[in-house]
Amino acid sequence: MSHLHLAHGLVLSLPFACDELAAASPGAIPDVMICEGHVPPALDDARLRDATHEASPNAYLMRAGPGAGQFLAERGNRILFQRGPQCDEALFRHVLLNPMLAALLRQRDLLVLHASGVVSPDGVVLICGDSGAGKSTTAAAMTRLGWPLHTDDVSALSLDRTEIIEVPAGARHVHLFEEASDALALDSRGLARNAWHRMKMAVPAFVEPVRPPRRLRRIVHLERGLVAAVRIERVTGRAKLPLLMHSVYGPYLVEAIAARAMLVSRALQSVEMLRITRPDTDWTMDRVLAAIMAD
């Protein structure tokens, strides 16, 4: 039996129900087939190869270990998986819905960022940054102030017919440490603490009842630093490009980045970017939120 779900503007057909995703309308035509089967050990035409993944122009292979398995995304319309011998269902689904779905979105010519996003009155605000910067915690705090969650960890950009950058809706959960969830007064009772994700939990978030693609309003790069107080910098001109590329959810082949030149150019021209550096320890959220939510 197949189950139809929605993610990043696509209808996914899965062999199991997936609470992490919204259900698609009955009878919807799938854009992507996700199915179980034998995953080849290697790609014949890999352009990029290391211990855990291989990539070619039309395929992405990930060896995620015995706790998750092996995965293959092909041509933007299929993900094949083979569960590992010690498969942890939560880890398996995390790999499937994050790095593998990101790979499939890349194959569909979207620019994929490692970012969490919320819906402001004027469009989506994306929060980027390295692991541990506080992206998900900041996004969760903004949902508590009435800005619905739009994406968590994986955010895809595309151009609409008028060359406006838009972001399709992704995750409905936000991954948080227990202390962050408690500080935000979010109900985390009964949720699993995942050792493979530094004991983070997948916490259900406030989302819009209908989740269409939204215009991209602002990109915020959040980072930790040896500063005494929160530092806010508006990024302009040539400084935008390295900040944007630092947040790309890869791996991208060189020719794939070149093929997205128009999308990157529009982002540099039309999207406001902020760099926010927060103290490495003893930081408060208030000034970060005020800067992100400013008109």
Side-chain angles (χ1 to χ4, degrees):
M1 177 181 179
S2 62
H3 300 263
L4 300 179
H5 291 281
L6 298 172
H8 303 286
L10 302 173
V11 177
L12 312 181
S13 174
L14 297 99
F16 49 82
C18 190
D19 293 340
E20 295 93 330
L21 303 176
S25 300
I29 298 174
D31 300 292
V32 178
M33 302 299 297
I34 298 176
C35 48
E36 188 167 12
H38 173 70
V39 175
L43 299 178
D44 292 336
D45 58 345
R47 304 270 190 89
L48 186 154
R49 181 180 284 121
D50 66 17
T52 59
H53 64 256
E54 298 182 15
S56 72
N58 295 310
Y60 175 77
L61 173 69
M62 184 171 184
R63 295 177 283 267
Q70 296 201 142
F71 301 79
L72 176 66
E74 297 179 293
R75 300 184 181 278
N77 58 29
R78 185 174 85 138
I79 297 177
L80 185 66
F81 66 85
Q82 183 177 346
R83 283 185 169 91
Q86 290 93 44
C87 186
D88 177 314
E89 188 66 18
L91 175 57
F92 163 79
R93 295 192 182 206
H94 176 80
V95 173
L96 178 64
L97 299 179
N98 288 272
M100 292 312 301
L101 199 49
L104 184 125
L105 293 168
R106 293 194 296 269
Q107 292 170 357
R108 296 180 72 92
D109 295 331
L110 283 80
L111 182 65
V112 186
L113 301 183
H114 189 192
S116 298
V118 294
V119 182
S120 80
D122 299 315
V124 171
V125 175
L126 292 182
I127 306 163
C128 305
D130 293 333
S131 179
K135 300 184 296 296
S136 294
T137 301
T138 302
M142 295 170 77
T143 69
R144 301 292 290 168
L145 297 176
W147 287 19
L149 185 75
H150 199 62
T151 59
D152 184 49
D153 202 49
V154 176
S155 300
L157 312 185
S158 63
L159 290 174
D160 69 9
R161 293 180 180 178
T162 63
E163 296 189 352
I164 298 296
I165 298 177
E166 61 182 16
V167 185
R172 301 192 303 164
H173 295 68
V174 61
H175 290 83
L176 299 173
F177 293 114
E178 185 170 6
E179 56 267 30
S181 179
D182 291 345
L184 296 171
L186 296 172
D187 186 2
S188 61
R189 290 173 296 180
L191 297 180
R193 278 64 172 167
N194 295 304
W196 48 265
H197 207 184
R198 295 174 294 147
M199 301 308 291
K200 282 188 174 184
M201 305 170 292
V203 182
F206 165 55
V207 298
E208 295 178 293
V210 179
R211 307 181 74 202
R214 296 291 189 187
R215 180 180 70 89
L216 177 58
R217 175 195 173 194
R218 175 179 290 163
I219 295 175
V220 176
H221 184 84
L222 184 63
E223 58 188 46
R224 301 164 62 174
L226 299 176
V227 293
V230 172
R231 186 171 65 200
I232 301 162
E233 172 191 359
R234 190 175 300 276
V235 182
T236 60
R238 294 180 179 178
K240 282 185 169 184
L241 181 58
L243 198 68
L244 179 66
M245 300 313 294
H246 182 78
S247 302
V248 165
Y249 200 128
Y252 269 96
L253 300 178
V254 172
E255 59 267 34
I257 289 290
R260 291 158 180 79
M262 176 62 76
L263 181 52
V264 171
S265 176
R266 288 293 297 166
L268 299 180
Q269 293 172 17
S270 63
V271 178
E272 181 186 29
M273 296 189 189
L274 297 178
R275 185 197 303 270
I276 298 179
T277 307
R278 66 167 180 88
D280 193 48
T281 58
D282 299 327
W283 68 296
T284 59
M285 186 71 71
D286 293 349
R287 192 168 178 222
V288 171
L289 297 179
I292 294 174
M293 302 176 78
D295 293 333

